[in-house]
Amino acid sequence: MAAKVVSFTLNGRETEVMVKPLTTLQVVLREQLGHTATKTGCRQGGCGSCTVLLNGEPVLSCLLPAEDVAGQQVTTLEGLTPIDGLHPVQSAFFDHYAVQCGYCSPGMILTTKALLDRNSTPSREEIVEAISGNVCRCTGYTAIIEAVEAAAQALKGGQNGR
Amino acid sequence: MGANVLEKAAEKKYRVVGQSVPRRDGMGHVTGATKFVGDVHYPGMLHLKMVRSPVPHAKINSIDFSEAEKVPGFVRVLTHRDVPKNIYTILCLIGVGPDDEPVLAVDRVRYQGEPMAAILAETEEAALEAVAKVKLDLEELPAVFDVEEALKPGAPIVADTGVNYFIYEGHHCRRVRYGDVEQGFAQADFIVEETYNTKPIEHAPTETTGCVAKPEADGRVTVHTNTQALYFSLDNTALILQVPFQKLHFVGGTVGGGFGGKVDVITEPITTLAAMKTGRPVKFIYSRVEEMQVSSPRSAWRLKYKDGVTKDGRIVARQITSYADAGAYNRHTPYAVTKHAANVAGPYTIPNVHIDAHCVFTNHTPGSAFRGFGVTMASFAIELQMDKIAATVGLDPWEIRFINAYRNGDVRPHRKVAEDVTFIETMQAAAKLAGHDLPEHLLAMNSWDRNGGQHG
């Protein structure tokens, strides 16, 4: 089958790519557009390292055909990072040692962003539930949960990132 | 120095110790700017995928690549004939031998998933399709999966040495002999025996193992890798490819989770060879399935303990027979077993110790390093055994550990003098943290003065 043009908004920027049928959003982002913050831990929907935001909601880009995002808003971790410094969620992850090897961090941070957008005061249980699709093999999760709590506090207080 | 040595140390303020320091790589991680191996991309880059054995033990009659070669995008195949020195053992660099593992299988495969040939193609999809079209003519052989079965006469032989065990200085196992265990058992009021088994455990790093090799204009090859052992990988790759070390430039340090699972020098030699043979950049990254099935796990272990204990709780003899399931090849297990033999009697002072620690070859996936390998599984068995001793003798499990704990200056079974030991202080701190009230006589003990405790 022939490739076709897919238009969508990537990190606020109008983007057009030539996409072969069934090519995943993950492959388009990483290999065609060079957005490598989106990771490839399993490429079968099991680890959450490829999480991106589709219209603000977390999705697994490794399972999503790129043609399905036509006309929609895609945010990767590159799009969350401000020109100067860090987004408050990124600051909280940095300050609370919620990153070790760094491989789950992009997906974990975007999942957190989506959680705090819909629930500014999540309970510990709600945080655990929200990040349950993002596998971290280093931290044991405690530092990540504390970072999400700190990010919620910072956003509530209207603080910016560092 | 005394029992509160740890509390005293905690009171002292240091500039670095005890202080939080920002991670150097943290900014890259939280912004996604950190470049992992999978993020390295070059124009014209080829993809490498392995043809792997579908069975745990077989003779290779032939491999037919004719249909694979017809796949659009197929570039070439590499077999054992292309590998300059197709046999290695990772630890040859520290004098462990003999070489036992082929980069690509020659006439026999010894575990399920063993690499038999490498396919290079223009895209990952083409490489996978070509691998699927390779026809294997294999003659399956009897396989052995249990360490004790593997040591019995008549067991299928895995290793080329003709025996299913690593040879330690002429012996079939790593031996430690200290005192006289038979004399110790004769003095004992109780004999406590148990067997402990553990299963293989996969590290499951979120980033899978892999590398990218790129030929440079000056004849060198740059290799981006997520190995945990950069120079070990460089040196072994140079030896396998029979090129001078300075021909290779290894770039690493960014590892998306390792835990010991990325020290095996497993993707670099074949990928570097592929880059040299084609003059093109080559990427070889494990799929999640490969990571789970063929990357080395923590070995399975079997540990048999026989302890002689007096009625006041003193362990007077400990005899251990243990087996590490190395899988089909050495990798790091011969070293792990030596480290294990030095620690398997535990952090306890026992006058009579007898250890036979075996490194056994089976048709399992080769095991390797994993956080304290050789010792972690020993600790599991030791501490269960200590609880069993406590229950048998009828003493408190804390009491058993305190009265047998090693002190500074004690000689351990492998003849090392214990130094900088704070086992008693650590247990005292742990009890405090756990909210467990220790009796006065245990609180009075310390690691420097044995007479501070109840046994002299």
Side-chain angles (χ1 to χ4, degrees):
Chain A
M1 282 192 286
K4 66 175 182 183
V5 177
V6 174
S7 305
F8 62 104
T9 307
L10 175 60
N11 300 329
R13 182 176 172 174
E14 287 308 311
T15 304
E16 284 192 343
V17 279
M18 286 291 286
V19 175
K20 284 187 196 162
L22 293 182
T23 304
T24 63
L25 179 62
Q26 176 185 54
V27 168
V28 169
L29 289 172
R30 289 174 51 80
E31 296 177 20
Q32 290 181 239
L33 298 169
H35 280 46
T36 54
T38 304
K39 293 294 175 246
T40 62
C42 71
R43 303 202 293 178
Q44 56 188 31
C47 76
S49 72
C50 69
T51 303
V52 299
L53 302 183
L54 183 64
N55 306 321
E57 286 299 318
V59 293
L60 298 172
S61 65
C62 75
L63 297 181
L64 190 64
E67 49 210 291
D68 287 7
V69 306
Q72 305 191 64
Q73 305 270 345
V74 174
T75 307
T76 66
L77 188 58
E78 286 96 341
L80 191 70
T81 312
I83 297 163
D84 283 320
L86 299 174
H87 183 276
V89 175
Q90 293 173 313
S91 286
F93 271 66
F94 182 85
D95 291 341
H96 290 265
Y97 299 89
V99 291
Q100 276 189 34
C101 84
Y103 206 79
C104 74
S105 307
M108 202 68 88
I109 288 168
L110 289 173
T111 298
T112 301
K113 165 77 166 65
L115 167 69
L116 298 181
D117 281 349
R118 66 173 186 270
N119 178 0
S120 60
T121 54
S123 66
R124 205 174 172 86
E125 290 67 32
E126 287 168 331
I127 294 169
V128 169
E129 171 66 25
I131 64 169
S132 63
N134 294 78
V135 174
C136 171
R137 204 50 179 141
C138 303
T139 63
Y141 298 100
T142 301
I144 293 173
I145 294 165
E146 286 167 2
V148 178
E149 288 172 336
Q153 284 295 324
L155 286 163
K156 213 169 79 184
Q159 288 173 32
N160 293 320
R162 61 175 58 231
Chain B
M1 283 186 276
N4 57 353
V5 63
L6 296 177
E7 280 167 25
K8 275 188 186 163
E11 281 166 20
K12 203 167 169 182
K13 285 281 175 225
Y14 298 94
R15 272 192 306 128
V16 175
V17 174
Q19 307 302 317
S20 291
V21 178
R23 287 189 69 99
R24 273 195 309 168
D25 54 4
M27 279 294 171
H29 289 354
V30 297
T31 58
T34 302
K35 274 250 182 286
F36 291 88
V37 161
D39 305 335
V40 175
H41 182 86
Y42 291 109
M45 188 170 75
L46 299 176
H47 294 265
L48 188 155
K49 291 288 167 190
M50 279 292 177
V51 177
R52 297 186 178 279
S53 172
V55 294
H57 199 189
K59 182 172 170 285
I60 304 170
N61 289 331
S62 66
I63 310 178
D64 176 4
F65 298 102
S66 57
E67 290 302 312
E69 288 165 2
K70 293 176 191 160
V71 172
F74 170 91
V75 173
R76 70 166 288 169
V77 61
L78 296 170
T79 69
H80 67 91
R81 290 183 199 88
D82 296 298
V83 186
K85 179 177 174 284
N86 188 43
I87 187 156
Y88 73 120
T89 191
I90 302 160
L91 293 178
C92 71
L93 298 165
I94 59 165
V96 172
D99 287 339
D100 68 335
E101 183 165 3
V103 175
L104 295 171
V106 179
D107 52 8
R108 188 156 67 105
V109 281
R110 304 167 208 206
Y111 68 95
Q112 191 172 333
E114 180 161 357
M116 302 172 70
I119 300 273
L120 293 161
E122 300 286 351
T123 64
E124 201 177 356
E125 292 75 16
L128 287 169
E129 190 182 345
V131 165
K133 291 195 169 163
V134 171
K135 291 197 192 90
L136 303 173
D137 179 4
L138 304 177
E139 189 180 322
E140 214 171 333
L141 299 170
V144 62
F145 300 108
D146 181 87
V147 284
E148 287 182 272
E149 291 296 323
L151 296 180
K152 284 181 182 164
I157 294 297
V158 180
D160 282 336
T161 52
V163 288
N164 285 339
Y165 51 82
F166 186 84
I167 299 164
Y168 289 96
E169 295 158 56
H171 299 288
H172 68 290
C173 60
R174 178 59 82 191
R175 307 180 317 158
V176 177
R177 301 289 184 265
Y178 184 64
D180 180 345
V181 278
E182 290 309 325
Q183 208 180 341
F185 290 138
Q187 293 166 10
D189 299 305
F190 302 95
I191 301 293
V192 184
E193 289 183 272
E194 192 56 272
T195 300
Y196 302 94
N197 289 290
T198 68
K199 290 288 181 192
I201 302 171
E202 167 55 31
H203 316 71
T206 45
E207 176 211 37
T208 60
T209 303
C211 69
V212 176
K214 179 179 181 288
E216 303 291 354
D218 61 4
R220 297 175 85 204
V221 181
T222 303
V223 181
H224 301 268
T225 165
N226 60 18
T227 178
Q228 290 176 256
L230 197 73
Y231 292 96
F232 239 65
S233 299
L234 187 157
D235 291 357
N236 272 307
T237 300
L239 293 173
I240 289 165
L241 302 185
Q242 301 278 283
V243 298
F245 295 162
Q246 73 268 23
K247 283 280 179 195
L248 304 178
H249 175 210
F250 272 48
V251 180
T254 300
V255 184
F259 323 115
K262 288 175 178 162
V263 296
D264 272 358
V265 193
I266 211 76
T267 60
E268 297 89 352
I270 191 67
T271 311
T272 308
L273 178 68
M276 289 164 69
K277 290 273 185 189
T278 60
R280 307 256 304 259
V282 178
K283 183 181 252 188
F284 178 26
I285 308 271
Y286 275 3
S287 67
R288 178 54 56 185
V289 171
E290 284 175 305
E291 192 69 38
M292 296 305 285
Q293 288 195 341
V294 304
S295 80
S296 313
R298 185 194 285 289
S299 299
W301 288 73
R302 180 169 301 155
L303 304 99
K304 297 182 173 183
Y305 279 72
K306 179 181 178 186
D307 288 339
V309 189
T310 60
K311 57 180 181 292
D312 60 352
R314 282 288 293 156
I315 305 169
V316 288
R318 172 163 276 181
Q319 182 167 9
I320 300 159
T321 308
S322 61
Y323 307 89
D325 184 349
Y329 297 106
N330 284 338
R331 301 270 172 102
H332 289 80
T333 311
Y335 167 75
V337 169
T338 294
K339 192 151 75 88
H340 163 90
N343 289 281
V344 69
Y348 302 102
T349 293
I350 303 168
N352 304 294
V353 175
H354 182 287
I355 300 166
D356 279 351
H358 303 76
C359 171
V360 186
F361 301 111
T362 70
N363 294 106
H364 277 139
T365 305
S368 194
F370 195 160
R371 289 197 164 183
F373 64 131
V375 181
T376 316
M377 293 329 193
S379 297
F380 163 76
I382 293 159
E383 297 311 322
L384 287 178
Q385 180 72 2
M386 295 306 283
D387 284 347
K388 192 177 169 83
I389 291 169
T392 305
V393 179
L395 283 172
D396 179 63
W398 291 92
E399 179 98 22
I400 284 287
R401 288 173 170 85
F402 273 84
I403 62 181
N404 289 289
Y406 63 175
R407 267 70 162 182
N408 285 292
D410 286 357
V411 178
R412 305 191 64 201
H414 62 306
R415 312 301 196 276
K416 292 277 187 199
V417 175
E419 292 174 356
D420 299 330
V421 166
T422 56
F423 183 29
I424 285 173
E425 289 72 15
T426 305
M427 288 194 291
Q428 287 162 344
K432 198 171 169 184
L433 284 171
H436 179 83
D437 290 328
L438 290 173
E440 277 307 314
H441 70 282
L442 298 187
L443 288 171
M445 289 187 186
N446 70 72
S447 292
W448 284 266
D449 174 13
R450 192 175 290 280
N451 295 323
Q454 72 170 20
H455 76 91

